[in-house]
Amino acid sequence: MWKYVDDTTLSEKVLKGQQSRAQETVDHLSNWSAENFFHLNLEKTKELTISFCHSQEHLDPVTVGGTQIQATTSSKLLGLTINNMLTWNDHVDSLIKKAAKKIYFLVQLKRARVPAEDLVDYYCACIRSSLDYTSPVFHYTLPQYLQSELKSVQKRALACIFPRMPYGEALERACLTSIREHHEDITKSLFRSISENQDSKLHHLIPEAYSPHYNFRRQRTYNVPAVKTKRFANSFFVKCAAVTNSS
């Protein structure tokens, strides 16, 4: 269970052949809420099932007070859109829609003849920051076509700030890097801050330090675990540890 302000998330891992205990957990949460005068908003309560089995296991529907919780294929968790295939299409679409709305105001500022330097500041503070949200989570797992969609937002904004200027020159003029490089810096910075702070709640997720038995010219920093899937290999902690070892 994860609790953040008024958001509560319940999760479980159901192995093949086992029975789900989600109903038991939901009943406990519902009873606790009633005893402590909290009200569960069933309209915002969703059930998301993630499974990559070829033959899907049948899971009994989860109910609250006799009302079945609505099943969904995607849901937001603290602003991060997660779907049942663990792809980032839904989340990237959400980021681009938010950024597109803010580009409208960038156009209005341009028409008002606001200096280019101030427009770049607005872009970084209001538009690019939208694309940065939770970027360390998805950075290494984005396919090329989703990277291109994020890039197109920056290209559109810079085309507004510096009309008729090639994208590469506009980046230099604005003193910016590409979205891919920018997210790479954010991801590495977050991993470094977690690894250096032993009091961090996420520090225990860092792979163990590598203890070599021989003296090599190039030493690894972390003992990266063996992986069976590309999804796990490109996950935040595993991929960052591998990148650190290769740098």
Side-chain angles (χ1 to χ4, degrees):
M1 178 188 294
W2 296 279
K3 180 83 176 152
Y4 183 81
V5 191
D6 60 345
D7 288 335
T8 302
T9 303
L10 301 175
S11 71
E12 70 167 344
K13 180 173 66 174
V14 182
L15 300 179
K16 188 174 182 179
Q18 292 186 350
Q19 295 294 322
S20 171
R21 299 183 60 186
Q23 185 63 61
E24 178 183 340
T25 307
V26 169
D27 289 342
H28 175 74
L29 176 63
S30 179
N31 293 334
W32 182 91
S33 300
E35 293 172 358
N36 291 274
F37 306 102
F38 282 96
H39 175 68
L40 296 180
N41 189 343
L42 291 181
E43 293 183 359
K44 293 185 177 181
T45 304
K46 309 294 182 184
E47 178 185 5
L48 176 65
T49 302
I50 301 173
S51 175
F52 299 102
C53 296
H54 297 293
S55 57
Q56 296 293 329
E57 294 282 341
H58 173 73
L59 300 176
D60 295 331
V62 181
T63 61
V64 177
T67 303
Q68 182 175 334
I69 295 177
Q70 180 183 353
T72 184
T73 57
S74 66
S75 182
K76 277 193 175 184
L77 177 60
L78 301 181
L80 178 68
T81 305
I82 303 174
N83 63 27
N84 61 343
M85 297 302 294
L86 293 184
T87 60
W88 298 111
N89 300 62
D90 296 333
H91 184 65
V92 170
D93 287 345
S94 175
L95 294 181
I96 291 177
K97 288 179 181 178
K98 288 182 180 179
K101 293 178 181 179
K102 297 175 182 178
I103 287 181
Y104 168 79
F105 295 102
L106 179 65
V107 173
Q108 300 307 310
L109 292 173
K110 179 66 177 181
R111 290 176 177 174
R113 298 184 179 182
V114 173
E117 293 77 8
D118 294 337
L119 294 178
V120 172
D121 289 339
Y122 170 80
Y123 163 71
C124 293
C126 300
I127 301 177
R128 190 177 68 171
S129 61
S130 298
L131 304 180
D132 295 343
Y133 186 69
T134 68
S135 59
V137 177
F138 61 76
H139 172 63
Y140 288 119
T141 61
L142 280 189
Q144 186 63 44
Y145 71 94
L146 290 182
Q147 295 178 29
S148 298
E149 290 188 20
L150 293 179
K151 178 182 176 181
S152 67
V153 175
Q154 179 160 276
K155 291 181 68 174
R156 181 181 172 189
L158 292 181
C160 174
I161 299 173
F162 305 107
R164 296 178 295 279
M165 183 179 292
Y167 177 59
E169 293 183 17
L171 281 177
E172 294 183 5
R173 177 76 179 277
C175 299
L176 299 176
T177 59
S178 68
I179 287 293
R180 183 69 179 174
E181 292 175 359
H182 178 59
H183 285 176
E184 180 82 12
D185 292 339
I186 293 176
T187 303
K188 289 182 177 179
S189 177
L190 177 61
F191 181 78
R192 185 166 54 251
S193 65
I194 295 174
S195 62
E196 294 175 353
N197 180 15
Q198 295 187 1
D199 294 329
S200 171
K201 297 295 185 180
L202 301 177
H203 184 79
H204 68 284
L205 298 175
I206 299 287
E208 296 180 356
Y210 179 67
S211 300
H213 298 288
Y214 304 96
N215 292 324
F216 296 104
R217 287 182 297 178
R218 189 173 183 177
Q219 297 286 358
R220 288 182 291 173
T221 306
Y222 299 102
N223 187 20
V224 179
V227 297
K228 294 183 178 180
T229 64
K230 186 177 180 180
R231 181 181 291 107
F232 183 43
N234 289 330
S235 61
F236 173 69
F237 287 103
V238 175
K239 184 65 176 181
C240 283
V243 170
T244 303
N245 284 346
S246 62
S247 62

